[in-house]
């Protein structure tokens, strides 16, 4: 017995499909089965899409996690004790806040004499790191070397005149002092524990006018042998951006501890991400020596001040105005002063002598000569080759210990 007439059934089919169907019961149940299958696939697809949507949102919002018991904040935000992971803006800001007050801007002033007997004052810029709450500051020797006046600016904008306590050209380290209290000294780390890949922050004064700039990156290499000022140093390499003016600034680890003093950057139009820092362990003893004695111990001393010497390719030893039309070639180191009773004085070295060799090694500049002396020990006798009045001489000097005088 049929529940609906054949005519009524055909009308229903036409409303659903828009066309006539077979009037057989087999065709009717076949179509119902097809519709049921389609609805089943639709519900299944909706369920899959709903599940996929939940998984997708779980990667962007904790509120829609598929299994909230397995998805926690620690999955995406590492604890402060975890090294070399991703860091949120908040955790980076905490490290900066812990370290930034320990880094200062340094400006050094030097008076230069012009060719027409007039003088002008030039300035150089760098950075420094506070190492005591009463005003001792660590920086690079090359930042303050030759300065007649040193000025320090704190993060809060306060400015102070600084006094040079001591310096060491071999490690390129210097310590200066300002008269201030309640400062924020850096926490000194054990840099021997630093590993390639460790996260680091560099804080300094790039370009001499952007004090407090923070950049971040990773340790790229350790114990790189880099030649600076004719002296080879073992430095840490890192990829945080640094620029002129960053020298003397701090390199900090993820705990906000000082692991190095920024000292150099590889430059060139195609060079990026090559910064270098002096490991803090390499200079701890030098810092202690300077704070205690005002100088680094076991440094050989000749007792001369040097500047670069050059001659014209047209007239090597002449003084004619026509020499201005020839190119200048640098050679040797001119003795600009000799300390009384120093090894150089006792050896017979005089002002305006040109030092051209030390211990048989040719030197072509003042930095060459200074670096070569540092290769000897206190008490060594060294042969110094000089040119005086167009004649060559050899002087023998017994090196003593540099005492900062």
């Amino acid at each position: 017995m049929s529940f609906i007439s054949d005519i009524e059934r055909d009308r229903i089919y036409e409303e659903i499909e828009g066309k006539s169907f077979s009037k057989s019961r087999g065709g009717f149940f076949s179509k119902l089965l097809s519709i049921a299958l389609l609805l089943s696939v639709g519900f299944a697809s909706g369920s899959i899409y709903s599940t996929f949507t939940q998984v997708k949102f779980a990667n962007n919002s904790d509120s829609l996690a598929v299994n909230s018991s397995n998805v926690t904040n620690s999955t995406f935000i590492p604890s402060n004790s975890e090294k070399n992971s991703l860091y949120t803006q908040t955790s980076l800001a905490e490290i900066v806040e812990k370290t930034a007050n320990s880094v200062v801007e340094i400006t050094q002033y030097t008076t230069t004499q012009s060719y027409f007997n007039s003088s002008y004052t030039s300035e150089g810029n760098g950075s420094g790191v506070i190492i005591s709450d009463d005003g001792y500051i660590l920086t690079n020797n090359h930042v303050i070397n030759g300065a007649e006046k040193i000025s320090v600016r704190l993060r809060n904008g306060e400015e102070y005149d600084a006094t040079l306590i001591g310096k060491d050209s071999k490690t390129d380290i210097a310590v200066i002092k300002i008269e201030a209290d309640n400062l924020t000294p850096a926490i000194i780390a054990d840099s021997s524990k630093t590993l390639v890949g460790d996260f680091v922050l560099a804080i300094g004064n790039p370009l001499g006018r952007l004090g407090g700039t923070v950049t971040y990156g990773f340790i790229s290499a350790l114990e790189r042998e880099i030649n600076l000022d004719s002296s080879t140093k073992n430095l840490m390499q890192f990829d945080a951006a640094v620029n002129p003016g960053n020298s003397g600034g701090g390199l900090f680890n993820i705990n906000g501890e000082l692991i190095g003093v920024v000292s150099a950057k590889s430059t060139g139009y195609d060079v990026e991400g090559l910064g270098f820092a002096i490991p803090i362990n390499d200079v701890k003893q030098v810092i202690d020596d300077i704070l205690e004695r005002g100088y680094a111990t076991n440094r050989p001393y000749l007792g001369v001040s040097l500047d670069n010497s050059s001659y014209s390719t047209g007239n090597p030893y002449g003084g004619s105005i026509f020499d201005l039309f020839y190119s200048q070639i640098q050679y040797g180191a001119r003795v600009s002063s000799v300390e009384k009773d120093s090894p150089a004085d006792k050896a017979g070295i005089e002002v305006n002598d040109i030092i051209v060799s030390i211990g048989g090694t040719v030197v072509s500049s003042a930095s060459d000569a200074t670096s070569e002396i540092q290769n000897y020990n206190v008490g060594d006798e060294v042969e110094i080759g000089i040119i005086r009045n167009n004649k060559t001489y050899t002087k023998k000097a017994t090196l003593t210990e540099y005492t900062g005088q």
Side-chain angles (χ1 to χ4, degrees):
M1 180 176 174
S2 177
F3 291 103
I4 56 175
S5 67
D6 289 345
I7 295 175
E8 183 65 17
R9 187 176 68 239
D10 288 345
R11 186 183 65 78
I12 293 173
Y13 286 162
E14 288 176 357
E15 287 181 358
I16 295 175
E17 297 292 344
K19 59 182 178 179
S20 297
F21 283 82
S22 170
K23 296 179 183 179
S24 67
R25 289 190 179 186
F28 170 67
F29 288 117
S30 176
K31 293 304 180 181
L32 285 178
L33 180 60
S34 297
I35 292 172
L37 288 173
L38 286 173
L39 290 174
S40 297
V41 171
F43 282 121
S45 299
S47 176
I48 293 172
Y49 175 77
S50 175
T51 302
F52 171 77
T53 302
Q54 285 184 311
V55 173
K56 179 180 178 182
F57 284 140
N59 290 320
N60 296 281
S61 173
D62 292 338
S63 62
L64 292 176
V66 175
N67 185 346
S68 60
S69 64
N70 294 330
V71 181
T72 64
N73 287 335
S74 62
T75 305
F76 303 104
I77 305 175
S79 65
N80 290 334
S81 63
E82 292 177 318
K83 291 183 114 180
N84 309 321
S85 299
L86 297 176
Y87 289 86
T88 66
Q89 184 176 1
T90 301
S91 63
L92 286 176
E94 289 172 352
I95 301 173
V96 172
E97 190 59 31
K98 185 177 180 180
T99 57
N101 287 328
S102 301
V103 181
V104 302
E105 305 167 37
I106 296 177
T107 304
Q108 63 107 327
Y109 301 90
T110 305
T111 301
T112 304
Q113 202 74 19
S114 73
Y115 289 106
F116 301 101
N117 291 326
S118 61
S119 61
Y120 63 92
T121 300
S122 59
E123 66 177 59
N125 302 99
S127 307
V129 181
I130 298 170
I131 55 175
S132 73
D133 60 5
D134 58 347
Y136 285 94
I137 296 169
L138 175 66
T139 187
N140 288 139
N141 175 61
H142 75 260
V143 169
I144 53 82
N145 194 37
E148 297 171 0
K149 178 184 176 182
I150 303 172
S151 176
V152 169
R153 188 172 190 266
L154 304 182
R155 188 189 183 198
N156 62 13
E158 295 179 359
E159 294 190 18
Y160 298 85
D161 289 336
T163 302
L164 176 63
I165 301 302
K167 60 182 182 177
D168 180 44
S169 60
K170 185 173 184 178
T171 55
D172 192 23
I173 286 297
V175 176
I176 60 178
K177 173 80 164 59
I178 62 174
E179 295 304 319
D181 295 313
N182 300 317
L183 302 179
T184 305
I187 300 172
I188 307 298
D190 178 0
S191 59
S192 68
K193 296 181 179 180
T194 302
L195 302 173
V196 173
D198 277 358
F199 177 86
V200 290
L201 287 176
I203 306 179
N205 181 28
L207 307 182
R209 58 180 183 273
L210 299 173
T213 294
V214 179
T215 54
Y216 69 93
F218 298 90
I219 294 293
S220 306
L222 299 171
E223 297 185 359
R224 289 289 199 201
E225 291 191 354
I226 305 297
N227 189 279
L228 294 174
D229 294 330
S230 302
S231 176
T232 300
K233 297 177 174 60
N234 289 319
L235 305 177
M236 295 189 293
Q237 179 186 330
F238 60 94
D239 66 350
V242 293
N243 290 281
N246 271 104
S247 289
L251 189 69
F252 298 90
N253 62 21
I254 60 169
N255 297 317
E257 300 167 328
L258 183 69
I259 62 170
V261 181
V262 177
S263 62
K265 172 192 177 180
S266 264
T267 58
Y269 72 92
D270 57 349
V271 175
E272 291 293 340
L274 289 178
F276 299 93
I278 305 168
I280 198 64
N281 280 18
D282 290 359
V283 296
K284 283 180 179 179
Q285 185 59 55
V286 174
I287 296 170
D288 289 342
D289 286 345
I290 290 175
L291 292 177
E292 183 178 346
R293 300 179 178 89
Y295 61 91
T297 58
N298 299 316
R299 296 290 186 261
Y301 173 66
L302 180 61
V304 294
S305 294
L306 303 172
D307 55 33
N308 293 330
S309 176
S310 63
Y311 69 87
S312 168
T313 55
N315 185 1
Y317 304 108
S320 169
I321 191 172
F322 295 106
D323 291 343
L324 296 174
F325 296 99
Y326 295 96
S327 61
Q328 297 290 314
I329 295 178
Q330 184 170 296
Y331 80 111
R334 187 184 73 87
V335 177
S336 58
S337 67
V338 179
E339 294 291 332
K340 184 176 176 56
D341 295 327
S342 67
D345 187 29
K346 293 176 180 179
I349 295 174
E350 300 176 0
V351 172
N352 290 325
D353 284 349
I354 308 298
I355 297 178
V356 292
S357 68
I358 296 176
T361 300
V362 174
V363 296
S364 59
S365 66
S367 61
D368 278 354
T370 301
S371 176
E372 190 62 32
I373 288 294
Q374 296 303 317
N375 291 328
Y376 292 87
N377 297 316
V378 175
D380 286 350
E381 184 180 73
V382 183
E383 290 187 347
I384 311 294
I386 65 169
I387 294 176
R388 180 188 298 167
N389 299 325
N390 300 340
K391 295 181 180 180
T392 60
Y393 300 89
T394 298
K395 303 292 184 179
K396 292 184 178 181
T398 301
L399 303 177
T400 58
E401 184 180 54
Y402 174 74
T403 59
Q405 301 300 320

